[in-house]
Amino acid sequence: MKRALISVFDKTNVVEFAKELTEMGWEIISTGGTSAKFKAEGIPVMDVSDLTKFPECFDGRLKTIHPHVEGGILAIRDNEIHQKQMVELGIDPIDIVVCNLYPFKQTVLNPDSTHEDIVENIDIGGPTMLRAAAKNYNFVSVITDPEDYSKVIEELKESGETSKETKEYLAAKVFEHTAHYDALISGYFNKKLNVKSPKTLTLTYEKKQDLRYGENPHQNAAFYTQIQETEGTLTAANKIHGKELSYNNIGDTDGALETLKEFEEPTIVAAKHANPCGIGSAETLAEAFQKAYDADPVSIFGGIVAANREIDKATAEIMSGIFLEVIVAPSFSKEALEVLTKKKNLRLLELPEILKSDYTAMKGRTVLGGLLIQDQDQKLIGEELKVVTKRQPSEKEMEDLMFAWKTVKHAKSNGIALAKDKTTTGVGPGQVSRIWALENAIRQGAERIQGSVMASDAFFPFSDCVEAAHKAGVTAIIQPGGSIRDEDSIKAADEFGIAMVFTGMRHFKH
């Protein structure tokens, strides 16, 4: 008689699966709650303690780790020595193992869970059975996902066996499942012990969706989400309208969100290729959007818009006149949705905790053959702001300098941001030369630059940027300082009557 050992926490469809096996003449072995459920449903079942002749003990911590269980799973059926030993030891084969694990993830995610609760939900016997069965997949079918029940039953009904291809597929799912499980556990302990750079790093993510393609149509892509602390991140957003997000949509929207988190008053961030292209802050969101649009009416076309307040009807009506790919906001009023959903392809994302940031999470970047990780860039300035020129910035200039500084922090390096009246007047991101970044920002802003302030993500190695800024009408500059030639820039600023502030902190973004 064929035998199946079934011990599951997630009991979805397990009763139906066991009934199908019983009808085909299989013997069912089970444990604890699973066994009790089968008995309640009238399914003949052998308790694992009757198989092992050893009681479940230590509050169920020890049930299945026993030679009569693991031996029945691991023995190689066409190995004469193994077969002889099975007879000598009185071990009968187990042909199917069905197991899913204690809910460690759900326990970790529960804010009311204690450390003791979490540790108690580290499964021991389950992974042991699963790994044993997966290792011996040539002879044992192992199921950890209820979605695979029907596939196994169908093959058993057709041929009396699970195909080798299916067994191998099921085994691969097991090792993926247990690796994910163990990574969650190690991640929990690393966080608890504040270990940021362990000797070996095992990360785990869950697939959120397959994507049509990556950066380009010939590249495959998928979107994965981390398990914990996703509040305020794009992975927690709810798409309420429009097409599926693309690979580039996701990257660009994430860039817009990072920038938006710097601002507390009603603010709109328009982004293109993950760089801010227009930012506006105002008393109302509609005014903020108009500012962001006016900052760069060209680049916002086909761009991403992030808002830190509910999208109301007035804002939606202005937005509707422009081609946008994505709008992400904490919420949308009913009237705003009536306006925006007329555009069938426009993606609308709700992210209630849009300003929440988890600065304990590490940021990673893949390189060929490796991974770079670092703390998030959570700070804005060094110990203090230092005015290094003869002229002090006015109160309004200082307000705009901080606005520009928040903007340039999120522009790719080398980055320059120009701003006036809490609005960007020019952004020059991602240039190999700082003067080129400034020249691009000036070209973008044209006559609007007059009276603007300037922010640079890193120091000026030469005074050329100060000179170019003066010619464009810039009145104040904020930069990290720290160049051996700082005095050249300070001297030029004094000559032109420009106020200059050092932050003592650079913000490279590569």
Side-chain angles (χ1 to χ4, degrees):
M1 179 183 290
K2 294 279 190 177
R3 301 195 306 166
L5 196 162
I6 305 176
S7 178
V8 293
F9 181 84
D10 178 1
K11 296 178 175 56
T12 303
N13 296 330
V14 73
V15 169
E16 292 78 6
F17 179 73
K19 284 181 177 178
E20 294 270 19
L21 289 179
T22 302
E23 289 172 4
M24 288 187 282
W26 284 64
E27 181 179 27
I28 307 296
I29 306 164
S30 192
T31 64
T34 310
S35 177
K37 189 171 184 65
F38 288 160
K39 289 174 182 176
E41 294 288 340
I43 299 171
V45 60
M46 174 192 289
D47 288 328
V48 76
S49 56
D50 293 329
L51 172 69
T52 62
K53 303 297 189 288
F54 200 92
E56 294 184 16
C57 54
F58 311 130
D59 295 321
R61 280 188 165 201
L62 182 61
K63 290 179 285 196
T64 59
I65 298 178
H66 190 280
H68 280 277
V69 175
E70 307 304 338
I73 296 170
L74 280 168
I76 300 174
R77 309 300 195 259
D78 57 6
N79 182 304
E80 291 183 5
I81 295 175
H82 285 206
Q83 290 300 305
K84 182 180 178 182
Q85 289 179 336
M86 288 180 75
V87 172
E88 291 172 350
L89 297 171
I91 295 174
D92 293 321
I94 295 172
D95 306 287
I96 288 180
V97 172
V98 182
C99 181
N100 48 61
L101 309 178
Y102 290 170
F104 183 84
K105 183 181 82 169
Q106 294 91 322
T107 308
V108 165
L109 292 176
N110 184 348
D112 296 327
S113 294
T114 65
H115 175 65
E116 289 71 25
D117 294 332
I118 291 168
V119 169
E120 198 58 37
N121 275 279
I122 297 175
D123 204 323
I124 303 301
T128 303
M129 285 194 301
L130 286 174
R131 289 172 61 84
K135 178 176 181 176
N136 204 27
Y137 73 86
N138 281 319
F139 306 100
V140 182
S141 301
V142 55
I143 305 173
T144 188
D145 184 350
E147 290 185 3
D148 293 318
Y149 291 156
S150 59
K151 183 177 183 65
V152 171
I153 290 296
E154 185 179 318
E155 292 190 8
L156 289 175
K157 285 182 175 180
E158 286 182 359
S159 63
E161 295 286 344
T162 311
S163 69
K164 183 175 181 179
E165 291 76 17
T166 296
K167 287 177 179 175
E168 191 169 34
Y169 157 79
L170 294 171
K173 287 188 73 169
V174 164
F175 291 118
E176 181 181 291
H177 182 62
T178 56
H180 174 63
Y181 195 81
D182 286 339
L184 285 174
I185 296 170
S186 66
Y188 166 73
F189 277 98
N190 282 339
K191 182 172 182 180
K192 185 176 187 297
L193 300 173
N194 198 31
V195 178
K196 292 187 176 181
S197 301
K199 187 174 181 180
T200 59
L201 178 65
T202 305
L203 303 175
T204 186
Y205 292 80
E206 293 180 351
K207 185 188 286 186
K208 186 176 178 72
Q209 68 184 94
D210 287 308
L211 302 174
R212 286 190 301 153
Y213 54 81
E215 285 181 298
N216 299 290
H218 59 276
Q219 294 171 272
N220 293 325
F223 183 26
Y224 287 80
T225 176
Q226 66 186 41
I227 311 303
Q228 292 177 268
E229 296 160 342
T230 60
E231 296 88 351
T233 70
L234 183 56
T235 58
N238 176 33
K239 185 175 73 68
I240 58 176
H241 177 73
K243 294 193 301 184
E244 289 298 322
L245 291 167
S246 71
Y247 181 98
N248 292 330
N249 289 155
I250 291 168
D252 294 350
T253 306
D254 183 63
L257 284 173
E258 281 197 53
T259 309
L260 185 70
K261 292 177 188 296
E262 300 286 351
F263 300 89
E264 295 182 0
E265 60 190 304
T267 299
I268 292 284
V269 173
K272 201 72 168 288
H273 307 311
N275 280 299
C277 63
I279 302 177
S281 295
E283 292 186 4
T284 70
L285 202 63
E287 291 176 280
F289 181 80
Q290 191 63 58
K291 281 185 170 187
Y293 173 78
D294 291 340
D296 188 349
V298 175
S299 297
I300 196 174
F301 184 84
I304 310 294
V305 166
N308 62 2
R309 299 290 192 279
E310 179 177 87
I311 304 293
D312 56 16
K313 183 179 180 181
T315 308
E317 286 177 338
I318 307 172
M319 289 177 166
S320 66
I322 305 158
F323 168 54
L324 299 172
E325 290 276 4
V326 178
I327 300 173
V328 57
S331 58
F332 296 78
S333 73
K334 180 181 177 182
E335 295 78 13
L337 287 175
E338 289 174 356
V339 173
L340 294 173
T341 53
K342 291 176 182 177
K343 291 176 170 285
K344 66 177 183 178
N345 292 330
L346 173 62
R347 293 102 165 158
L348 302 179
L349 307 179
E350 275 193 341
L351 185 55
E353 297 185 75
I354 200 164
L355 292 183
K356 183 171 181 178
S357 293
D358 174 28
Y359 284 125
T360 63
M362 303 293 284
K363 294 207 71 173
R365 176 183 176 185
T366 58
V367 296
L368 289 176
L371 174 70
L372 294 167
I373 64 167
Q374 64 175 347
D375 289 328
Q376 292 194 62
D377 185 4
Q378 68 183 79
K379 297 180 180 179
L380 194 61
I381 61 172
E383 293 182 4
E384 61 177 349
L385 292 173
K386 182 180 179 183
V387 179
V388 295
T389 49
K390 295 175 183 177
R391 186 171 81 79
Q392 298 277 324
S394 68
E395 185 177 337
K396 181 182 180 304
E397 283 177 325
M398 183 57 75
E399 186 176 63
D400 283 337
L401 284 169
M402 292 310 299
F403 182 95
W405 185 243
K406 292 175 182 179
T407 300
V408 83
K409 175 183 174 182
H410 296 280
K412 296 290 179 65
S413 299
N414 289 314
I416 293 288
L418 305 173
K420 181 172 61 177
D421 299 328
K422 296 184 183 178
T423 310
T424 53
T425 52
V427 181
Q431 297 299 311
V432 295
S433 164
R434 194 158 300 280
I435 187 64
W436 290 356
L438 175 56
E439 288 169 349
N440 284 348
I442 291 171
R443 276 195 297 271
Q444 176 193 329
E447 69 278 357
R448 292 182 295 109
I449 301 300
Q450 193 69 37
S452 293
V453 303
M454 178 174 78
S456 171
D457 66 338
F459 60 64
F460 298 132
F462 308 104
S463 62
D464 53 355
C465 285
V466 180
E467 295 163 6
H470 167 66
K471 291 178 182 177
V474 168
T475 65
I477 295 172
I478 188 168
Q479 58 132 319
S483 169
I484 59 173
R485 302 184 66 171
D486 274 344
E487 285 304 318
D488 292 349
S489 296
I490 296 170
K491 182 179 177 181
D494 281 334
E495 180 182 340
F496 301 132
I498 292 175
M500 183 179 288
V501 179
F502 282 3
T503 65
M505 178 175 288
R506 79 176 190 198
H507 289 294
F508 275 162
K509 188 174 185 181
H510 286 241

